[in-house]
């Protein structure tokens, strides 16, 4: 309750605290809150968050570790260790790159597909639940604006 009161606008329409209107904070805070809801579901299914991110990303096809790390928001050396663990669990496999045999591609295995597939519906329902209070139009606008921000600021 104290958090909601502190976030209330002052009489002049301005937030009481800088962070209450600061875009980077608002994006991070909303991401943290929304992600923690879904991450709790992953925990009940004993699927580590990073395994979910990797598996769902690899459903679209094999990728280089560096590209995968960028998409799942992890540093490349840590990503390599995660891939090592996932490979031992039979969820992913490494293969030589097509154009450059020195590079390595990571792809999802049949077992990885079995783990991630039931979670897709859970993730989609969670997303619908999060966006529903905004209404369809506002939800679409929010998603499009976020995509545009990402495109404008991606390396």
């Amino acid at each position: 309750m104290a958090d909601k009161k502190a976030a209330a606008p002052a009489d002049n329409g301005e937030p009481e605290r800088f962070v209450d209107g600061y875009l980077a904070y608002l994006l991070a805070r909303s991401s943290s809150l929304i992600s923690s809801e879904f991450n709790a579901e992953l925990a009940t299914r004993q699927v580590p968050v990073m395994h979910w991110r990797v598996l769902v990303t690899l459903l679209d096809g094999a990728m280089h570790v560096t590209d995968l790390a960028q998409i799942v928001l992890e540093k490349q050396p840590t990503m390599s260790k995660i891939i090592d663990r996932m490979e031992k669990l039979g969820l992913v496999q490494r293969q030589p790159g097509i154009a450059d045999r020195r590079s390595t591609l990571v792809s999802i295995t049949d077992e990885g597909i079995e783990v991630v597939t039931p979670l897709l519906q859970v993730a989609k329902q969670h997303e619908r639940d999060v966006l529903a209070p905004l209404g369809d139009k506002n939800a679409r606008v929010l998603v499009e604006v976020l995509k545009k921000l990402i495109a404008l600021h991606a390396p």
Side-chain angles (χ1 to χ4, degrees):
M1 289 276 185
D3 188 51
K4 290 186 189 249
K5 185 175 193 244
D11 290 339
N12 63 3
E14 293 294 317
E16 290 183 19
R17 301 176 300 181
F18 172 77
V19 296
D20 294 330
Y22 183 55
L23 178 63
Y25 168 77
L26 295 171
L27 291 169
R29 179 78 170 135
S30 59
S31 176
S32 175
L33 291 168
I34 293 166
S35 294
S36 67
E37 295 167 358
F38 183 70
N39 294 350
E41 180 63 34
L42 292 175
T44 65
R45 296 166 185 256
Q46 299 179 345
V47 176
V49 172
M50 201 51 64
H51 288 197
W52 152 255
R53 289 182 184 176
V54 168
L55 292 172
V56 77
T57 301
L58 291 176
L59 281 175
D60 292 323
M63 329 185 87
H64 294 281
V65 175
T66 305
D67 297 331
L68 186 58
Q70 183 178 14
I71 291 170
V72 304
L73 309 174
E74 189 57 77
K75 292 185 171 101
Q76 195 275 331
T78 304
M79 184 82 269
S80 293
K81 292 174 187 169
I82 291 167
I83 295 301
D84 288 343
R85 288 193 295 272
M86 292 179 73
E87 194 170 29
K88 287 177 185 164
L89 293 170
L91 301 173
V92 300
Q93 63 186 12
R94 285 184 168 103
Q95 57 208 45
I98 297 165
D100 181 357
R101 308 272 308 155
R102 293 171 296 169
S103 68
T104 302
L105 290 173
V106 180
S107 60
I108 191 169
T109 63
D110 290 342
E111 190 170 338
I113 292 170
E114 285 180 34
V115 168
V116 78
T117 299
L119 292 169
L120 291 172
Q121 291 308 313
V122 176
K124 288 176 184 176
Q125 184 59 53
H126 177 251
E127 181 180 58
R128 284 190 294 271
D129 293 344
V130 166
L131 294 174
L134 302 178
D136 289 343
K137 183 179 178 187
N138 285 335
R140 281 192 303 275
V141 168
L142 174 63
V143 170
E144 289 307 312
V145 167
L146 291 172
K147 285 180 180 180
K148 186 164 187 159
L149 278 173
I150 290 167
L152 289 170
H153 296 276

